[in-house]
Amino acid sequence: DAGVIQSPRHEVTEMGQEVTLRCKPISGHNSLFWYRQTMMRGLELLIYFNNNVPIDDSGMPEDRFSAKMPNASFSTLKIQPSEPRDSAVYFCASSPGTGSPAGELFFGEGSRLTVL
Amino acid sequence: DQQVKQNSPSLSVQEGRISILNCDYTNSMFDYFLWYKKYPAEGPTFLISISSIKDKNEDGRFTVFLNKSAKHLSLHIVPSQPGDSAVYFCAATRGGADGLTFGKGTHLIIQP
């Protein structure tokens, strides 16, 4: 079975540019989560969706960040304009909601973003 | 304000010995706790979990202990093996549906 697929794996961009990160969750999973990992703050939850509907975006740091889930098999996280402090590894994770330990998430391999 | 804390950024243990990773939490509403393991350039993978109604859960070499009164949990790995070298994240959730709150992780190094 394919796991959570993220693209790109690595992105290097210049300050002010738009960045779009993509995620394909595991088929059949009804919850999708975006996390950001930095040395200072560890893994932070940015936003999550349930059945394609955004439930909690309180972790999104600023209006420069936006996320969409147009259908059950695709989600994007966009940063516009990007800043050097956005440099981090961004993880997408999905969850089946039932049939697995409560809270168990399946993570993608991450997208490493570097903003110069 | 960190709700889940892992106070040891790194831990070095000899192969064959017991590894003990610790985690503290502040939110008494958390009712499920999980440990994740992460290798470099990979995403975290689920390792073991425990419900707040239990105080111990065991899976092979891995055992998680929960002390609710102290708001503390620990992961025991015995015996430790070289493949256990990774970053271990403690995570907690309330109800299981709202995502996980993670600690900053502990880098476990197993020495031969």
Side-chain angles (χ1 to χ4, degrees):
Chain A
D1 285 346
V4 175
I5 299 172
Q6 293 186 244
S7 64
R9 290 295 311 277
H10 301 275
E11 174 93 4
V12 180
T13 190
E14 292 191 345
M15 183 173 64
Q17 296 297 306
E18 177 179 298
V19 173
T20 299
L21 307 177
R22 298 172 178 80
C23 175
K24 178 178 168 52
I26 293 173
S27 177
H29 284 194
N30 59 10
S31 297
L32 182 140
F33 304 79
W34 282 101
Y35 281 85
R36 177 172 70 174
Q37 183 187 18
T38 61
M39 288 293 291
M40 288 296 294
R41 301 176 69 88
L43 275 163
E44 302 173 273
L45 177 62
L46 300 178
I47 185 171
Y48 78 92
F49 297 82
N50 198 29
N51 294 321
N52 312 339
V53 176
I55 302 300
D56 183 358
D57 65 354
S58 59
M60 296 285 260
E62 300 171 31
D63 290 346
R64 299 183 297 105
F65 285 69
S66 63
K68 293 182 180 179
M69 191 165 186
N71 58 62
S73 59
F74 184 65
S75 176
T76 59
L77 178 67
K78 186 175 291 187
I79 309 172
Q80 164 66 10
S82 58
E83 297 183 3
R85 61 191 165 126
D86 302 329
S87 297
V89 181
Y90 291 81
F91 287 101
C92 176
S94 68
S95 170
T98 57
S100 66
E104 182 182 356
L105 304 182
F106 295 78
F107 283 81
E109 293 185 315
S111 294
R112 179 175 293 277
L113 173 64
T114 303
V115 183
L116 303 174
Chain B
D1 160 25
Q2 278 242 291
Q3 297 187 66
V4 177
K5 299 178 185 178
Q6 294 176 257
N7 292 320
S8 298
S10 67
L11 175 67
S12 184
V13 175
Q14 265 198 314
E15 182 179 355
R17 301 287 189 117
I18 184 171
S19 296
I20 301 176
L21 295 92
N22 293 302
C23 177
D24 298 293
Y25 62 97
T26 58
N27 189 339
S28 57
M29 300 296 288
F30 287 142
D31 58 3
Y32 220 87
F33 304 90
L34 303 88
W35 285 92
Y36 276 76
K37 179 178 180 178
K38 185 184 180 304
Y39 292 118
E42 295 183 9
T45 55
F46 171 75
L47 188 58
I48 192 170
S49 63
I50 188 167
S51 162
S52 60
I53 63 173
K54 296 185 174 181
D55 55 17
K56 176 182 175 182
N57 187 27
E58 192 172 349
D59 183 2
R61 296 186 298 113
F62 302 92
T63 303
V64 56
F65 295 92
L66 175 62
N67 182 334
K68 280 192 298 183
S69 60
K71 292 192 176 71
H72 177 83
L73 63 155
S74 60
L75 173 68
H76 293 212
I77 306 172
V78 57
S80 301
Q81 298 175 353
D84 297 330
S85 295
V87 177
Y88 289 79
F89 289 97
C90 173
T93 184
R94 186 179 68 178
D98 296 336
L100 297 173
T101 300
F102 283 89
K104 289 189 178 181
T106 296
H107 185 194
L108 176 65
I109 302 161
I110 305 302
Q111 307 262 4

